Amino acid sequence: MKLAAFVSGLALVACALDLENGLMKAPPMGWLAWERFRCNTDCKTDPDNCISEKLFVDMIDRLADDGWKELGYVYVNIDDCWMAKKRDTSGKLIPDPERFPSGIKALADYAHSRGLKLGIYGDMGNYTCCGYPGTTLDRVEQDALTFAEWGVDMLKLDGCYSSEDEQAQGYPKMAMALNATGRPIAYSCSWPAYQGGLPPKVNYTLLANICNLWRNYGDIQDSWRSVLDIVDWFSANQDVLQPVAGPGHWNDPDMLIIGNFGLSDEQSRSQMALWTVLAAPLFMSTDLRTLSRSSREILQNRLMIKINQDPLGLQGRRVLRVQKSKSHIEVFLRPLSHSASALVFLSRRTDMPYRYTTSLSKLNFSASAVYEAQDVYSGGIISGLKAGENFTVIVNPSGVVMWYLYPTMYLDQPLDFVRQHPRGRGFHPFTL
Ligand code: GLA
């Protein structure tokens, strides 16, 4: 083969490998069945909560009617246990005929008719984690075509029952197959979670090219302990994980469990704030039909969502960890567009509200600016904050204080310059 042909052949392979679907420039938002509804297939005794088209129609209706869609929660995602136990005679995946009598295409059509998108679940391997038909290497193209034909908008590809080698072949192969369908289908890869989540086993450069998001770590459970375990793992490995996230390709610390049974209101506010600082996908896994008012307020906080969806798409970091802070307050920081930042003060205490005193200089903010901070939960504003000045936040046990912080004036610039640059977009306090 001539060199030019070889090089262009290589370029072709590289292009074909890229997902390049232009999707998820901001972290995706929506609803995902797994954590709350698991593999409950018993529709006889539990018709409202089993994995069936009724459950998804109910959630589509809630997302469309209760103000979620307008805030960006647009994906309604099916997880495991939707399939019939066997493929049909042509080898095609089919939904369980009793639980999904209208079929997946009808569900996708309904989601679209209500302004939403439908996500589905598959598994790179012999079986899904719950034992339903998997997508073996020889089925990748067929399954991608099936999902596209049904009008599905997102695929979560799990990794149970496959070897490392099958995963290494299968995940890029599915990216190519999804591309080849011509339908924009967002691609969520569980691959790194099956490889320990860290290099050298995990190649995040490759993942960022082929997947829109990826699960790095174990499954979230309905408990505060599980939330902290995930936050600690992401923070301990932030030097690796923080740089690989960006528009179109996100780390996924797993679902929001707000609204379920394991978190107090304080802890729910903490999960929302921490996921936002991590630039995480916001997939709620809760029963939207019975959600309490306080959970709804947390999940529908507009300033929080604006920060989560910030166009810079930078993931934040833990900048002060508990081992270094006698107060047992941790600090997280996410840089945002227009020189703004999100700051989260998290209490790891178990005693009482703690008065935490610090200054922006101690948190490495430039001394040459004056800042304004808006409390993301209370809406309260602190103005005229100089970097060297001490301030105090009161943080409840296992709770957070979260600030949206932005400079209002630069001290080392001539007054004229400041006058000519009135507070622009992003410098305005956000009206709650
Ligand atoms: C794995 C995944 C979960 C969920 C289950 C379904 O454990 O990590 O998110 O999809 O499988 O069986």
Side-chain angles (χ1 to χ4, degrees), residues 216-237:
N216 315 67
Y217 190 59
D219 291 0
I220 197 160
Q221 307 296 339
D222 193 2
S223 75
W224 177 235
R225 202 176 69 163
S226 173
V227 169
L228 282 183
D229 177 49
I230 291 172
V231 169
D232 283 339
W233 187 84
F234 272 79
S235 302
N237 297 300

Side-chain angles (χ1 to χ4, degrees), residues 66-68 71 73 256 258-259 265 268-269 272-273 284 286 288 291-305 376-378 432:
D66 296 348
W68 300 101
L71 291 166
Y73 290 98
L256 294 170
I258 298 161
D265 281 352
S268 301
R269 279 190 276 273
M272 192 71 184
M284 308 178 279
T286 189
L288 298 174
L291 201 62
S292 72
R293 203 190 149 106
S294 59
S295 296
R296 183 184 309 260
E297 269 171 20
I298 295 166
L299 290 161
Q300 294 196 343
N301 181 311
R302 289 195 305 128
L303 177 51
M304 182 71 75
I305 291 170
V376 176
Y377 283 118
S378 74
L432 290 172

Side-chain angles (χ1 to χ4, degrees), residues 34 79-80 121 129-130 156 158 160 190 194 215 219 254-255:
W34 180 255
D79 208 272
D80 207 345
Y121 168 99
C129 298
C130 287
K156 168 174 167 182
D158 214 337
C160 275
S190 299
Y194 286 86
R215 283 281 309 283
D219 291 0
D254 213 0
M255 290 154 271

Side-chain angles (χ1 to χ4, degrees), residues 142-189:
Q142 181 180 23
D143 291 354
L145 281 170
T146 302
F147 298 143
E149 179 192 306
W150 286 343
V152 159
D153 303 291
M154 175 170 174
L155 169 67
K156 168 174 167 182
L157 192 61
D158 214 337
C160 275
Y161 301 108
S162 48
S163 66
E164 272 187 27
D165 200 45
E166 283 162 334
Q167 292 173 3
Q169 288 183 56
Y171 279 96
K173 192 172 182 187
M174 180 57 89
M176 281 191 270
L178 291 173
N179 253 0
T181 67
R183 181 175 178 82
I185 300 180
Y187 185 30
S188 164
C189 300

